[in-house]
Each structure stands twice: as C-alpha cells, then as structure tokens.
Amino acid sequence: MRHLLILACSQRKRSDADSLPAIERYDGPTFRLLRRFLRKQPSARLEIYILSAKFGLIPSDYQIPNYDQRMTKMRSRQLQPEVIAKFEDILSAKSYQKLCICLGQDYFLALDKYDMLIKSGLAVRIATGSLGKKLATLHDWLYGKPPELAIRQAVVPQGKASLKGIEVVLTPAEVLDLARQALVEGKGNPGCYQSWYVLVGDRRVSPKWVVSLLTGLPVSAFHSSVARRLLQQLGVEIYRE
C-alpha cells in the first residue's frame, strides 16, 4: 500500500552551508519523528511532500539551501494556486491508499479546497491541534498504532510516590476523589493536556494538573513524564488519545 504524507516545513533548520534534501534540512519535532520512523522502516512505501513558505509544495528529497522565511496567511494564499495544482498532479500520478496532512492553520490555507481532489477510496487523516496532538496523530498514522507506554511496564504501583521531596500516600480512589472535588471547585486548568490523560468520571484531565493538586507544586515545576510516573506509582490509570 502506497501512503502519502504532506507536512509543513519547520522554522528550525540545519545550518549546513551546502544544499540538503528538505527532509534533512528541516529539523523540527515532526521531522525528527519522521526520520526516526524511516530509519526503523526504510522499506515503507511512503511518499513525502513538504509545504515550504519559500519553495511551495516540494518532495522530501528536493535540495534546498539554508534560509529564513516564515509562513503567513498572505504567503499561504499566494501559494495556494500552485500548491493545489501540484497536489492534483501528485494524486493523478500514482494511486495512494492513505493520506495524512500535518499542517498548521496558516499552512492549511495553501491547501484550500484540497478535499475536492480526493478520490474515492483514499483514507484521509488530518493532524490538527497543538504540536503534541499533531505529533501523536502523525506517529499513530505512520506506525499504525499508538506508541507503547514504557512506564506502564516499568512502574509497579506502590501506593506511594514522591516529587521534589513531597511524599504522596493515597489510593487511586482517593486521588480521583480529590480530582473530582477540584473540578467542582474549578481549580486550575484540568483540560490542558496533549495526548495522555486521566479519567475522572467521564471527564479527561491533565496528569500534570492532578499531580499539582496532590503535591501543591505548580504544573511548570515538573515534566509530563514525571507526572505520569508518579500517578502510576499510586496505581492511577493513564490513558492516551
């Protein structure tokens, strides 16, 4: 099965003086994820096109210099006719079974009306939202499944955990009761999460928000991975979108 990926260029680039293939020049998180996938599965039947503010819609092996040009709404609208024409050529040249489009809002303007070109039988996945959500969607599309949660295998629930010298000794039910009460009281920003979440009743909440409740520490004081590990040490289930 041949798959097609269209993703935005990144502001972060390698600074090599010589021209590089676009997939090597751009060095943002999506490109690191993509290159890691290609190293693991070099025989994947995946064709990649990159939407560049300077060069338009280019194949991943297109040689480009180091440059600095940001995508704006105006630039995206300027590019739209040639980008749509190129997209139509790509779809006409080969038969694809799956398509993933991973673009920010400004970039998406250049693909306006792309859906009119989608042929029957082509499964389309759009990666939207925060960077974390786009990365999660792209990962799942590339690999065909969510990433394994390594800490689920490595962490044995102990009924207690500590963070920055603060010890927490609570059962999973007690943790969820505290979170439920905090929701009623409107504390903090429970819905601010990227991919991983805790279920409190039927509501999805941020693991960092829960750990902030338990420790009194601000969410900026620790990483998401630390929050997930602490909750798993307490036996609290962590879910992934």
Side-chain angles (χ1 to χ4, degrees), residues 14 28 40 43 54 84 88 94 108 113 115 125 146-147 157 161 163 165 176 198 205 217 228:
R14 286 176 52 180
K40 292 180 178 179
S43 61
K54 185 174 182 65
I84 283 295
E88 185 173 16
K94 296 178 182 177
F108 226 112
K113 297 184 173 64
D115 52 317
R125 184 82 177 270
L163 177 59
L176 295 179
V198 176
V205 302
L217 296 168
R228 295 198 299 269

Side-chain angles (χ1 to χ4, degrees), residues 86-99:
K86 178 67 174 179
F87 183 60
E88 185 173 16
D89 288 344
I90 293 168
L91 293 181
S92 299
K94 296 178 182 177
S95 177
Y96 298 97
Q97 284 71 45
K98 292 184 179 181
L99 164 66

Side-chain angles (χ1 to χ4, degrees), residues 161-167 211 215 217-223 226 230:
S162 63
L163 177 59
K164 296 184 180 294
I166 301 169
E167 188 173 56
V211 170
T215 62
L217 296 168
V219 293
S220 59
F222 51 90
H223 294 293
V226 173
L230 184 146

Side-chain angles (χ1 to χ4, degrees), residues 10-230:
S10 69
Q11 183 177 5
R12 180 170 178 169
K13 303 175 185 68
R14 286 176 52 180
S15 59
D16 304 53
D18 295 335
S19 292
L20 292 173
I23 195 171
E24 298 295 335
R25 173 69 70 185
Y26 299 116
D27 201 32
T30 54
F31 286 90
R32 292 181 218 160
L33 170 63
L34 180 57
R35 289 195 297 265
R36 187 162 56 247
F37 168 77
L38 293 173
R39 286 194 297 270
K40 292 180 178 179
Q41 302 191 30
S43 61
R45 300 190 68 189
L46 174 64
E47 296 191 15
I48 304 157
Y49 285 82
I50 300 165
L51 181 52
S52 161
K54 185 174 182 65
F55 301 105
L57 191 58
I58 56 176
S60 61
D61 59 355
Y62 189 83
Q63 297 280 329
I64 60 173
N66 191 19
Y67 71 94
D68 184 20
Q69 181 171 350
R70 295 178 67 91
M71 182 67 85
T72 63
K73 290 183 173 63
M74 180 179 294
R75 178 58 177 159
S76 192
R77 291 191 180 99
Q78 289 174 345
L79 288 171
Q80 194 267 350
E82 65 180 78
V83 167
I84 283 295
K86 178 67 174 179
F87 183 60
E88 185 173 16
D89 288 344
I90 293 168
L91 293 181
S92 299
K94 296 178 182 177
S95 177
Y96 298 97
Q97 284 71 45
K98 292 184 179 181
L99 164 66
C100 180
I101 300 176
C102 185
L103 302 173
Q105 289 184 344
D106 288 349
Y107 285 84
F108 226 112
L109 293 173
L111 269 179
D112 187 37
K113 297 184 173 64
Y114 81 94
D115 52 317
M116 298 175 64
L117 303 174
I118 300 301
K119 300 175 182 178
S120 176
L122 177 58
V124 181
R125 184 82 177 270
I126 307 296
T128 59
S130 67
L131 174 60
K133 288 187 176 181
K134 284 201 284 285
L135 287 172
T137 300
L138 178 57
H139 179 286
D140 295 358
W141 185 82
L142 288 170
Y143 289 92
K145 63 179 182 179
E148 296 294 332
L149 179 54
I151 59 173
R152 182 179 294 277
Q153 301 169 350
V155 177
V156 177
Q158 301 171 4
K160 64 179 180 179
S162 63
L163 177 59
K164 296 184 180 294
I166 301 169
E167 188 173 56
V168 180
V169 183
L170 292 168
T171 66
E174 289 170 335
V175 171
L176 295 179
D177 284 343
L178 286 172
R180 196 173 293 110
Q181 182 61 35
L183 286 174
V184 172
E185 296 172 3
K187 291 183 178 180
N189 190 5
C192 185
Y193 68 92
Q194 293 185 342
S195 299
W196 303 102
Y197 62 90
V198 176
L199 269 179
V200 181
D202 60 354
R203 185 164 175 181
R204 300 179 179 187
V205 302
S206 162
K208 290 187 72 174
W209 176 78
V210 176
V211 170
S212 178
L213 293 176
L214 302 181
T215 62
L217 296 168
V219 293
S220 59
F222 51 90
H223 294 293
S224 298
S225 59
V226 173
R228 295 198 299 269
R229 176 173 289 271
L230 184 146

